[in-house]
């Protein structure tokens, strides 16, 4: 009886492993794309213009378009992509656990994150800024935040940067998502949100006339595509795909279509950092 029960447990474990969303059984995302013609890609679901889940369950935005282009270059058509919502706090875990094959989710490349995952890119360079109520003239930059309530999300670093470098008396508040921060600023409970300017521009456009971006970027945030640590072949293939996207005009077209309406000035494509 014990042996039969133990066999059942192992069978369930094996089935769970086989049904996993990511690339556990492959050395590289390149191999999974080639063999299965399917990929699981982590994206944000609440960032207008970048990664947003629509009422019908589809995902739209610049990050989503980048993900589709890269996947196609790897041999995976859009109908072979499963988009999985990620938030800032779980991106490394999703990659490490094999829940996703790639993360394209306004994911800043940092040395600390490189200890856990590999990065291709950057595919975009943003700058940290502030989003405030449109009628608030008191907040003109990070140094004006002393005594104010500033929102950011768990797993992201912008708010700590403000407190450490610009306004030691700022009161930091964390939410799970930026959209939750937006609701609290609109409601008057908090004074400002800090993250990258292109993310904030999407929210300002969504709440036209109620929110504004201060317009004084005070950092450089390089967005990369995260993949399994040590996947050298995957990193090269994704970088090659990005290089093609920059060159053939698809990158500019996708960015303009996604955030151009907010008034955000579309920059030149960045330089890839192959390592």
């Amino acid at each position: 009886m014990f042996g039969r029960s133990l066999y059942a447990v192992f069978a369930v474990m094996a089935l769970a492993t086989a049904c996993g969303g990511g690339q556990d059984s492959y050395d590289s995302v390149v191999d999974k794309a080639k063999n299965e013609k399917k990929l699981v890609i982590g994206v944000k679901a609440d960032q207008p213009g970048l990664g947003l889940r629509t009422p019908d369950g589809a995902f739209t935005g610049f990050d989503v378009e980048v993900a589709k282009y890269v996947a196609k270059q790897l041999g995976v058509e859009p109908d072979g992509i499963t988009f999985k919502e990620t938030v800032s706090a779980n991106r490394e875990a999703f990659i490490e656990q094999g829940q996703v094959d790639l993360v394209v989710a306004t994911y800043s490349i940092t040395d600390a994150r490189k200890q856990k995952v590999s990065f291709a890119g950057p595919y975009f360079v943003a700058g940290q800024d502030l989003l405030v109520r449109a009628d608030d003239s008191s907040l003109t930059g990070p140094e004006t935040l002393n005594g104010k309530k500033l929102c950011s999300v768990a797993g992201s670093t912008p708010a700590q940067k403000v407190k450490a470098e610009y306004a030691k008396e700022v009161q930091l508040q964390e939410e799970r998502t930026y959209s939750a921060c937006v609701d609290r600023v609109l409601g008057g409970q908090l004074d400002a949100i800090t993250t990258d300017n292109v993310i904030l521009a999407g929210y300002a456009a969504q709440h036209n006339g109620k929110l504004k971006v201060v317009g004084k970027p005070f950092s450089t945030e390089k967005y990369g595509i995260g993949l399994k640590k040590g996947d050298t072949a995957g990193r090269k293939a994704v970088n090659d795909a990005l290089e093609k996207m920059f060159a053939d005009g698809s990158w500019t077209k996708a960015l303009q279509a996604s955030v151009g309406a907010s008034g955000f000035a579309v920059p030149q494509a960045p330089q890839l950092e192959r390592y």
Side-chain angles (χ1 to χ4, degrees), residues 130 139 141-148 150 159-172 218:
L130 302 174
L139 292 175
E143 67 285 346
T144 62
L145 282 165
N146 279 309
K148 300 287 188 178
L150 176 67
Q160 284 75 20
K161 179 182 176 70
V162 169
K163 189 175 182 72
E165 298 181 21
Y166 296 98
K168 289 182 169 38
E169 303 303 317
V170 68
Q171 299 174 47
L172 301 184
F218 50 95

Side-chain angles (χ1 to χ4, degrees), residues 96-179:
E96 290 177 316
Q97 294 164 5
Q99 293 194 43
V100 297
D101 302 302
L102 301 170
V103 168
V104 191
T106 60
Y107 198 8
S108 294
I109 301 169
T110 68
D111 288 340
R113 287 170 177 164
K114 281 183 179 179
Q115 302 303 309
K116 297 182 177 182
V117 302
S118 290
F119 282 102
Y123 65 91
F124 188 82
V125 179
Q128 189 177 340
D129 212 323
L130 302 174
L131 186 71
V132 302
R133 287 181 292 277
D135 60 358
D136 188 344
S137 58
S138 67
L139 292 175
T140 56
E143 67 285 346
T144 62
L145 282 165
N146 279 309
K148 300 287 188 178
K149 295 177 181 177
L150 176 67
C151 194
S152 192
V153 300
S156 193
T157 57
Q160 284 75 20
K161 179 182 176 70
V162 169
K163 189 175 182 72
E165 298 181 21
Y166 296 98
K168 289 182 169 38
E169 303 303 317
V170 68
Q171 299 174 47
L172 301 184
Q173 302 281 330
E174 278 194 348
E175 294 288 347
R176 182 174 178 271
T177 63
Y178 289 114
S179 55

Side-chain angles (χ1 to χ4, degrees), residues 217-266:
F218 50 95
S219 75
T220 299
E221 306 294 335
K222 299 176 180 179
Y223 292 170
I225 295 179
L227 61 165
K228 189 170 67 174
K229 176 75 172 173
D231 184 359
T232 305
R235 193 172 68 235
K236 180 184 184 302
V238 174
N239 274 326
D240 289 346
L242 290 174
E243 196 159 57
K244 185 175 179 181
M245 190 178 190
F246 297 165
D248 68 12
S250 298
W251 183 88
T252 300
K253 182 179 178 182
L255 190 57
Q256 184 66 49
S258 300
V259 299
S262 70
F264 186 79
V266 175

Side-chain angles (χ1 to χ4, degrees), residues 16-48:
T17 301
C19 295
Q23 63 181 76
D24 296 86
S25 58
Y26 294 96
D27 290 332
S28 173
V29 67
V30 174
D31 299 325
K32 180 178 179 182
K34 180 180 178 181
N35 294 330
E36 294 190 16
K37 303 298 182 185
K38 292 180 180 179
L39 289 174
V40 181
I41 303 180
V43 293
K44 292 292 180 76
D46 70 327
Q47 292 182 347

